[in-house]
Amino acid sequence: MHKPQFSLEVFPPRRNGPVGSIYDTLDGLQGINPDFISVTYGTGKTADRTATARICHTVRQEYNIPVVAHLTAQYLDKQQADEALDMFKQAGVSAVLALRGDAVEGREPTGVFKYASDLVRYIREQCPDLKIFGACYPEVHPNSAGVVDELRHLKTKVDAGTSNLITQLFFDNDDFFRFVEQARIAGIDVPIEAGIMPVTNAAQVRRMVTMCGARIPKELSAMLERWGDDPDAIRQAGVLYASQQIADLVSRGVDGVHLYTMNHPCTTRRIWANVSALFKEV
């Protein structure tokens, strides 16, 4: 029977934050043994490349977990991309997650890699054996003209060399499976992992929804309305909601689940305790 992957995302410490905090996160995740951990990346500054590479090295060498390094496109030139790829190689990464990246006010894109597909194509040329992940949006990217336009761009990214996809967060599994069906019809046949973000803070959820265009279904809206001002209650409800999402996804044959930890290992461990049996070999 199909065994889905289970993976996690962490991010480097915030600027001016204690570097050792990442060890607190990684130590707190021990025992979960994910198929890989992805490490996020900023907007193309040297500090971002260095921080991502350093955390990747730590995950791979000290925790012995396969690691995927994020790399954002629009503020990179080819020299910077080469430097990042070299650092990632030295860090022992098993794959790169190529992203367009968010716009930064006051910064001008380089124009070298306009879309994530341009970066994918370049990585594939420079590192033909490196596995490349890509992002996708079950509910359509906020800047997209619509579903057809979204799938066309996604097909271009896959044809450029993307071998696996990870979705942006979503809160209604029907939206995810509808998207997967549309992607398959469009000829996109690579594995698609479901990105799940636990609800631990009402304001954070509303901010993320605004940024990525995700929909809040009525069940989640009721949770936020009732417990949004009670941190302990909304965190517990969020753990249950994410666990139920994951159980439903696995029961319906998802390729994998990618859990956005938000560097909260306690929440991640509670979810894993609820769903770990679902990812065993059967």
Side-chain angles (χ1 to χ4, degrees):
M1 185 177 291
H2 166 72
K3 176 183 177 295
Q5 285 208 322
F6 183 80
S7 56
L8 304 173
E9 178 186 286
V10 301
F11 51 78
R14 300 298 187 188
R15 296 191 190 285
N16 302 320
V19 175
S21 63
I22 191 63
Y23 284 96
D24 296 335
T25 297
L26 295 172
D27 285 344
L29 296 174
Q30 287 195 83
I32 295 180
N33 298 321
D35 290 285
F36 65 85
I37 289 179
S38 74
V39 182
T40 65
Y41 184 91
T43 56
K45 299 178 183 178
T46 300
D48 295 315
R49 298 194 292 277
T50 302
T52 300
R54 186 167 61 245
I55 302 306
C56 285
H57 182 272
T58 297
V59 172
R60 189 70 191 99
Q61 301 300 322
E62 298 187 31
Y63 294 86
N64 196 31
I65 297 172
V67 63
V68 175
H70 293 215
L71 186 59
T72 58
Q74 62 176 327
Y75 298 104
L76 283 181
D77 58 29
K78 290 184 178 180
Q79 179 180 341
Q80 293 167 335
D82 290 341
E83 290 171 354
L85 291 171
D86 184 60
M87 281 191 282
F88 294 163
K89 180 179 179 180
Q90 294 181 42
V93 304
S94 58
V96 169
L97 174 54
L99 306 161
R100 182 175 183 269
D102 296 327
V104 178
E105 187 175 355
R107 293 194 69 194
E108 283 296 321
T110 63
V112 176
F113 305 112
K114 185 176 181 181
Y115 300 109
S117 56
D118 299 322
L119 181 58
V120 170
R121 193 172 293 107
Y122 184 76
I123 295 172
R124 179 57 64 228
E125 292 170 354
Q126 301 302 310
C127 307
D129 297 326
L130 186 64
K131 193 172 186 179
I132 305 175
F133 283 68
C136 54
Y137 288 73
E139 298 168 81
V140 182
H141 191 283
N143 296 332
S144 175
V147 174
V148 173
D149 182 65
E150 180 83 3
L151 291 171
R152 180 171 58 83
H153 283 294
L154 188 59
K155 182 68 163 61
T156 298
K157 185 158 54 177
V158 170
D159 290 345
T162 302
S163 55
N164 291 71
L165 294 170
I166 297 175
T167 76
Q168 182 56 269
L169 65 93
F170 60 91
F171 296 109
D172 188 328
N173 289 357
D174 286 343
D175 292 332
F176 170 79
F177 285 110
R178 185 180 306 111
F179 163 75
V180 171
E181 181 180 16
Q182 292 168 338
R184 300 312 185 207
I185 292 172
I188 299 167
D189 57 3
V190 300
I192 301 175
E193 292 194 38
I196 298 297
M197 190 186 83
V199 174
T200 58
N201 179 291
Q204 179 190 59
V205 169
R206 294 190 174 102
R207 184 172 64 252
M208 293 295 291
V209 163
T210 300
M211 290 173 57
C212 69
R215 181 176 61 85
I216 298 181
K218 64 179 187 299
E219 298 87 355
L220 179 56
S221 181
M223 283 172 43
L224 296 175
E225 181 67 25
R226 177 154 187 173
W227 297 303
D229 295 326
D230 185 333
D232 291 335
I234 195 62
R235 189 176 297 110
Q236 183 171 354
V239 166
L240 293 172
Y241 193 93
S243 301
Q244 291 170 342
Q245 268 196 283
I246 292 169
D248 179 61
L249 288 164
V250 174
S251 72
R252 295 164 70 179
V254 71
D255 291 323
V257 172
H258 189 66
L259 190 64
Y260 298 109
T261 73
M262 308 304 291
N263 285 19
H264 294 313
C266 291
T267 299
T268 303
R269 292 185 67 86
R270 289 169 67 184
I271 293 171
W272 180 244
N274 289 339
V275 304
S276 57
L278 310 181
F279 292 86
K280 291 180 179 179
E281 294 279 5
V282 291

